[in-house]
Amino acid sequence: MTGPLFRLLFRLSALLLAAVCVSAPAFAQPLPGRPAGPETDLNMVVALDRSESVDLAERTAQNESLAAALTDPRFMAAVKGGWQGRIGIAVLTWSSFNRTQVVVPWTVIAERRDADAVVAALRDYQARGGDVEHRPQTDIALALGAGVELLDAAPFPATKRILNVISDGIDNFGREAFVDRDEALAHGITINGLVHARGSAIPIVERFFERQVIGGPYAFVLSTPTPESFTGAMLRKMLLEIAAAGRSSRPDGSGSLRVPAYRPMRG
C-alpha cells in the first residue's frame, strides 16, 4: 500500500495511539469517593479504655498485649493467609468528655516490620505519657462514635471493617451505647469486645457488651478473668477476626457468636 491512502492510514493510527496514551492514566485513578490505597482483607480499629478505673498497670498491659499479638508468628501467618495478604489497623484511646486520641494512625500490616512500626508507636505514646488528658468516666458511646469516624476515614478500601472496644466496665457517662452501636452497624461495621473486668464484675460487663456494644456478622465478646490472660486473649481475638474476614457476611448478624471464656492457646 503506497501513496495518499497509506499516509492517511498512518496518520489515523498515530492519532488513535496518542488518544489511548493520553486517556490511559484515567483508568489507573481510584473511583470517585473510594479510598486510594491498596485493598486490605480487613480494616481494624482498636479502641483502648483510658478511664479512671483502668490503672497504669492495666494500661501498660493493654499496650503490651496488643504489641505481643501483632508480632506473634500466628498473627502474621493469619494475615498472609488472607486474599490480599494484608490488613489495615489504627489504634485510639478514649475515656469521656469527648476525650479521644489516635495513638496509631492508619497503617497497613503485610510484613513483620509493619507490625513493629505499630508497636513502636504504641510504646512511644506510653513513654510520652499520652494518657494525661483523659477523663475519669467511661463513655463507650464515645468509643463507638470515634471508631466509626476513624474507619470511615481509612485511606484504603477493605472487604471487612471491625471496631474493637476494650474496656473493664460499663457506661457511666454519655448517651446509651446502643445508639452509636446501631449507627456503626448501619455503616457495615462489625463491633467486637474484649472485657478485662475482674471477679463478679465479669458477667455484668459481658451482659452489657452483648446487649449494647457488640454487633454485626460473627460479632463476639471475649473476657479475660486474670491479668495474665490478657495477652493470650488479645491474640485469640485477632485470630478470630482475621478468620471471620474470610467468611461470607450476613447482613442480619445471624452469624454472631459469643466466646464466653478465655482458654490458653497452645504454642
Side-chain angles (χ1 to χ4, degrees):
M1 184 184 302
T2 58
L5 181 58
F6 176 80
R7 288 193 295 272
L8 177 60
L9 291 175
F10 179 81
R11 288 174 183 174
L12 287 173
S13 299
L15 288 172
L16 287 172
L17 179 61
V20 170
C21 291
V22 169
S23 61
F27 294 100
Q29 301 299 317
L31 294 174
R34 291 291 302 277
E39 186 172 357
T40 64
D41 288 302
L42 66 90
N43 285 344
M44 175 191 303
V45 167
V46 181
L48 303 172
D49 187 352
R50 289 297 182 265
S51 59
E52 189 175 51
S53 60
V54 183
D55 61 25
L56 179 60
E58 290 174 322
R59 296 178 184 195
T60 301
Q62 285 184 8
N63 283 352
E64 290 305 312
S65 296
L66 180 55
L70 293 174
T71 54
D72 190 283
R74 288 167 289 185
F75 170 80
M76 292 307 307
V79 169
K80 289 180 179 294
W83 288 105
Q84 305 297 333
R86 55 183 173 265
I87 69 167
I89 190 169
V91 182
L92 67 86
T93 55
W94 58 275
S95 55
S96 55
F97 289 97
N98 291 320
R99 300 289 179 161
T100 65
Q101 185 168 355
V102 177
V103 178
V104 179
W106 279 111
T107 303
V108 171
I109 296 182
E111 304 289 344
R112 170 60 188 266
R113 63 177 177 270
D114 304 324
D116 289 339
V118 174
V119 171
L122 284 170
R123 290 175 175 162
D124 178 68
Y125 171 83
Q126 184 174 333
R128 289 186 288 105
D131 294 331
V132 68
E133 295 296 328
H134 279 293
R135 293 295 180 259
Q137 284 79 17
T138 302
D139 186 355
I140 293 181
L142 173 64
L144 294 171
V148 169
E149 288 183 7
L150 195 52
L151 282 163
D152 284 345
F156 27 78
T159 55
K160 188 176 182 65
R161 302 196 296 167
I162 294 175
L163 171 56
N164 288 309
V165 179
I166 299 171
S167 181
D168 69 343
I170 64 175
D171 260 345
N172 57 24
F173 186 84
R175 66 178 178 177
E176 296 288 347
F178 72 84
V179 176
D180 288 81
R181 186 269 315 278
D182 291 348
E183 289 182 5
L185 298 183
H187 283 243
I189 294 169
T190 294
I191 306 166
N192 295 325
L194 180 54
V195 171
H196 58 100
R198 302 289 176 259
S200 60
I202 293 175
I204 297 172
V205 182
E206 277 185 345
R207 283 195 296 271
F208 174 80
F209 265 68
E210 290 172 350
R211 294 172 181 173
Q212 294 213 37
V213 181
I214 68 169
Y218 302 103
F220 64 88
V221 57
L222 182 61
S223 298
T224 60
T226 66
E228 295 76 21
S229 67
F230 199 87
T231 297
M234 183 71 79
L235 174 60
R236 187 178 181 209
K237 179 186 68 62
M238 293 282 191
L239 295 179
L240 283 168
E241 288 163 344
I242 295 172
R247 300 172 183 168
S248 60
S249 296
R250 300 181 184 181
D252 63 352
S254 61
S256 297
L257 59 94
R258 175 174 182 265
V259 184
Y262 167 77
R263 291 189 294 274
M265 296 188 67
R266 297 182 182 272

